[in-house]
Amino acid sequence: MIALTPIGRVRSPLADPARAPKQGFEGAPEAWLELEPACADALSGLQAGQEILVLTWLHRADRETLRVHPRDDPRAPLAGVFATRSADRPNPIGIHRVRILEIAGGPRLRVADLEAIDGTPVLDLKPVLDRTRER
Amino acid sequence: MIALTPIGRVRSPLADPARAPKQGFEGAPEAWLELEPACADALSGLQAGQEILVLTWLHRADRETLRVHPRDDPRAPLAGVFATRSADRPNPIGIHRVRILEIAGGPRLRVADLEAIDGTPVLDLKPVLDRTRER
């Protein structure tokens, strides 16, 4: 078994997963990432203006679901969850590409745009790589 | 605490993390993803030729490391692990963009190019989204 330790939480005006945008670029708001104080050293080198990937634990997801109607559209044919970005999947890890707007004490990062709901555990932050073909 | 359940394992000629390429596009080989039989339904809709993100658990990583010399270059100034793609980080989740070459029984997926070493647990598969700004 593999145990994850959240490095922080999302603070967002989004509270209801059913009403949140499906992707950050689909009208998601700004949010704060409130990180554990112990993580402060791990942030050095990150700067406002930079794009990063935020990995989250989609804690409201159903881990038993293997097939879904993509984008919750009942007219769409059922597809395997690995062929979709559904939150429901065996290990519901979210990947969100956001821009850092501000780095504040705490530490806290203000980012845009993030579709994760308030309280979502944050697992990791990674820089976006330069190469066009990358994440 | 959050518990992950691997959906499979990487089978690769790469055995030594120190000798593996740092990114897939840096000369990594083809590999097989051997998935749990229970996951077969979750693959429906994936096709050979398609690009996906493979999420892995970098099981040899050091989870206590908060700052590293980027790309293991001792001349590079120390940077926070969240500002790098170092495997060493609190939750060592790898993101690998690969192309599916073949989907076989088991189920197994042959993919290229993958820098993860043999035996690496696989956590999730996601389609690459269409929008240019995405992962």
Side-chain angles (χ1 to χ4, degrees):
Chain A
M1 206 196 54
I2 297 168
L4 294 174
T5 308
I7 61 168
R9 299 262 167 192
V10 172
R11 292 300 164 210
S12 167
L14 296 174
D16 179 358
R19 299 180 64 173
K22 296 199 183 304
Q23 298 295 332
F25 55 81
E26 294 177 338
E30 291 182 13
W32 283 95
L33 309 179
E34 291 186 354
L35 302 182
E36 296 294 331
C39 291
D41 279 352
L43 293 174
S44 66
L46 290 181
Q47 298 183 327
Q50 185 177 356
E51 284 195 316
I52 58 170
L53 302 180
V54 179
L55 276 62
T56 61
W57 184 251
L58 303 168
H59 57 306
R60 302 275 198 99
D62 175 1
R63 303 181 66 177
E64 305 301 317
T65 298
L66 295 178
R67 300 211 295 171
V68 295
H69 294 287
R71 296 186 65 83
D72 296 327
D73 179 351
R75 298 165 301 182
L78 280 171
V81 293
F82 297 152
T84 80
R85 288 290 187 121
S86 170
D88 297 331
R89 52 208 311 120
N91 292 303
I93 297 168
I95 304 179
H96 317 268
R97 183 165 173 162
V98 302
R99 187 174 300 278
I100 300 174
L101 302 177
E102 180 182 352
I103 301 178
R108 298 183 304 149
L109 272 65
R110 186 162 59 92
V111 300
D113 306 303
L114 183 63
E115 75 276 19
I117 63 168
D118 189 58
T120 300
V122 178
L123 302 177
D124 197 12
L125 309 177
K126 296 184 193 290
V128 172
L129 298 180
D130 283 338
R131 251 175 138 247
T132 309
R133 72 180 290 273
E134 277 154 7
R135 300 111 213 167
Chain B
M1 203 197 57
I2 297 168
L4 295 174
T5 308
I7 61 167
R9 300 263 164 189
V10 172
R11 292 300 165 212
S12 168
L14 295 174
D16 179 359
R19 299 182 64 174
K22 296 199 183 302
Q23 299 295 333
F25 55 80
E26 293 176 335
E30 291 181 14
W32 283 94
L33 308 180
E34 290 187 354
L35 303 182
E36 296 294 330
C39 290
D41 278 352
L43 292 174
S44 66
L46 290 180
Q47 298 184 326
Q50 186 177 355
E51 284 194 314
I52 58 171
L53 302 181
V54 179
L55 275 62
T56 60
W57 184 253
L58 303 169
H59 57 307
R60 303 275 198 98
D62 175 1
R63 301 181 67 177
E64 306 300 319
T65 299
L66 296 178
R67 301 210 294 171
V68 295
H69 294 286
R71 297 185 64 83
D72 298 328
D73 178 352
R75 294 164 303 180
L78 280 171
V81 291
F82 297 152
T84 80
R85 288 291 188 119
S86 169
D88 297 330
R89 53 209 310 119
N91 293 303
I93 297 168
I95 302 177
H96 317 268
R97 183 166 173 161
V98 303
R99 187 174 299 279
I100 300 174
L101 301 177
E102 180 182 354
I103 301 180
R108 297 183 305 150
L109 272 64
R110 186 162 59 91
V111 300
D113 306 303
L114 183 64
E115 75 278 18
I117 62 168
D118 188 59
T120 300
V122 178
L123 302 177
D124 197 10
L125 309 177
K126 296 184 193 290
V128 172
L129 298 180
D130 283 340
R131 251 175 137 247
T132 309
R133 70 180 291 273
E134 278 154 7
R135 301 118 211 157

